[in-house]
């Protein structure tokens, strides 16, 4: 990463809304059906057909706006965005141009560097296009099932300055959409996709550079890789004395590189105009309040609560609230243990890792609470907790019975541990010399040897105390 330059990133996220039917007709939105079995004259743009707006789409979009601190427009409208592409039978997409439903929002993200607020320019509703399927030797086929599936497009301000911030923003946005229930955010099914706009400039400059756009990235890992590659590429272009070309670029996950797809004219000319078949959308103050009252406790509210009530760090609390299922689970366990902070650590490490995306935690909250208590009382160390949890994930059972049966009891016999510590210290001349010459990390090597001798069951606090005594500290 070149330290003289900084990146300026804005993200455009498309999220499919979780309605049962499409935005302007009664066709199903269910994913994975046989091609062209979920379409009708309206969503395939047959002459004479008329769209009727699905009001659930408006409700969901307004909820997404309220949950991201947006201003909700009392008056907005839908516009035709005219362009030709084979996946768009109507040759125009119904979207929103100058009067989006939601605008001027923001959300806060947490990274290693601290907390940061990212602005949200607008959220508007629109319809999805169909899907082109390229079949080797048979040309290209079209599947219209996706035509007219409702989307919200969430456009951020160019406030993002690193790949890490971009990822944190996407994760937070996804969490908010899942909490509010407006989208299932399944990236592997394309219901959440991201376009990255990126430019670079000399640090300290307030002038924006020429940007490129990378479209339809469907994994957070790809977003990070695409940003890192594109930053370095643009810096290299500028340092070679050339100019960055404004264009759309394709990211290839196989190579981790971006390549030019098409150059962009200065302004796209979509010839937007208000759709004459659709009346304006008017949202009364009453309606806005009704929708606001349906918004559940959001990630940030929970995060603040966990920091205050359980003393979690901002980063740990942020991680915990990202998945609603996991946060619900933690709350259930936290009320049952004397050591909620240990429970939080176990949830953030092992439980978050072992629980499949969209899955539920198979371990009873009371069982996790019991493990946290045993750990807090010094009867189980962290590696034993990990091992017990991996067994409970396969078959949930009473942890006390499992521990008695499986010999998980922590070794806290002071005499036994002291004699081991004597042996370890006596046989580790080199490590000791290293430690005494100032390398404090060398101490961990001694702890490691003790853990090896106790087969990972030694009480870590007692081991550290005894080792220090034997060294003479
Ligand atoms: Zn239809």
């Amino acid at each position: 990463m070149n330290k003289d330059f900084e990146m300026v990133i804005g993200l455009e996220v498309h999220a499919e809304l979780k309605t049962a039917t499409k935005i302007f007709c009664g066709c199903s939105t269910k994913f994975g059906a046989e091609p062209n079995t979920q379409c009708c004259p309206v969503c395939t743009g047959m002459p004479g057909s008329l769209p009727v707006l699905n009001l659930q789409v408006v409700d969901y979009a307004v909820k997404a706006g309220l949950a991201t601190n947006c201003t909700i427009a009392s008056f907005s409208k839908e516009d035709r965005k005219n362009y030709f592409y084979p996946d768009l039978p109507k040759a125009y997409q119904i979207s929103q141009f100058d009067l989006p439903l939601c605008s001027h929002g923001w959300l806060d993200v947490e990274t290693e560097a601290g907390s940061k607020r990212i602005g949200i320019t607008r959220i508007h509703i629109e319809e999805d296009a169909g899907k082109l399927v390229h079949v080797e030797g048979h040309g290209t086929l079209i599947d219209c099932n996706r035509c007219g599936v409702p989307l919200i497009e969430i456009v951020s301000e160019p406030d993002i300055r690193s790949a890490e911030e971009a990822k944190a923003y996407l994760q937070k946005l996804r969490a908010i959409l899942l909490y509010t229930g407006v989208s299932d955010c399944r990236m592997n099914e394309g219901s959440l996709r991201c376009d990255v706009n990126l430019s670079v400039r000399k640090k300290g400059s307030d002038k924006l550079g020429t940007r490129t756009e990378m479209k339809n990235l469907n994994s957070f890992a790809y977003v990070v890789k695409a940003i890192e590659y594109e930053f370095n590429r643009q810096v290299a272009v500028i340092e070679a004395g050339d100019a960055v070309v404004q264009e759309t670029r394709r990211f290839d996950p196989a190579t981790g590189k971006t390549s030019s797809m098409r150059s962009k004219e200065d302004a796209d000319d979509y010839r937007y105009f208000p759709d004459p078949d659709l009346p304006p959308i008017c949202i009364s103050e009453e309606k806005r309040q009704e929708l606001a009252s349906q918004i559940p406790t959001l990630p940030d509210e929970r995060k603040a609560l966990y920091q205050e009530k359980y003393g979690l760090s901002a980063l740990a609390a942020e991680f915990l609230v990202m998945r609603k299922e996991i946060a619900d689970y933690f709350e259930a366990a936290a009320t049952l243990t004397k050591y909620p902070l240990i429970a939080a650590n176990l949830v953030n490490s092992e439980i978050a890792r072992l629980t499949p995306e969209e899955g539920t935690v198979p371990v009873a909250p009371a069982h996790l609470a019991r493990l946290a208590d045993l750990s807090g009382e010094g009867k189980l160390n962290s590696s034993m907790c990990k091992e017990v949890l991996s067994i409970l994930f396969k078959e949930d059972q009473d942890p006390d019975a499992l521990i008695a049966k499986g010999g998980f009891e922590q070794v806290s016999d002071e005499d036994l541990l002291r004699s081991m510590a004597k042996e370890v210290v006596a046989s580790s001349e080199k490590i000791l010399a290293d430690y005494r010459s100032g390398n404090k990390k060398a101490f961990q090597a001694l702890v490691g040897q003790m853990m090896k001798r106790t087969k990972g069951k030694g009480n870590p606090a007692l081991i550290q105390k005894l080792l220090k005594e034997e060294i003479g500290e």
Side-chain angles (χ1 to χ4, degrees), residues 25 27 39-40 43:
C25 64
C27 293
C39 37
C40 71
C43 52

Side-chain angles (χ1 to χ4, degrees), residues 60 103 159 209 231 234 237 240 263 296 400 471:
Y60 279 166
S103 59
D159 291 342
F231 172 75
Q234 289 190 17
V237 167
S263 78
D400 285 294
I471 295 169

Side-chain angles (χ1 to χ4, degrees), residues 22 24-28 38-44 147:
K22 292 184 181 179
F24 300 118
C25 64
C27 293
S28 168
Q38 293 174 170
C39 37
C40 71
V42 174
C43 52
T44 51
C147 290

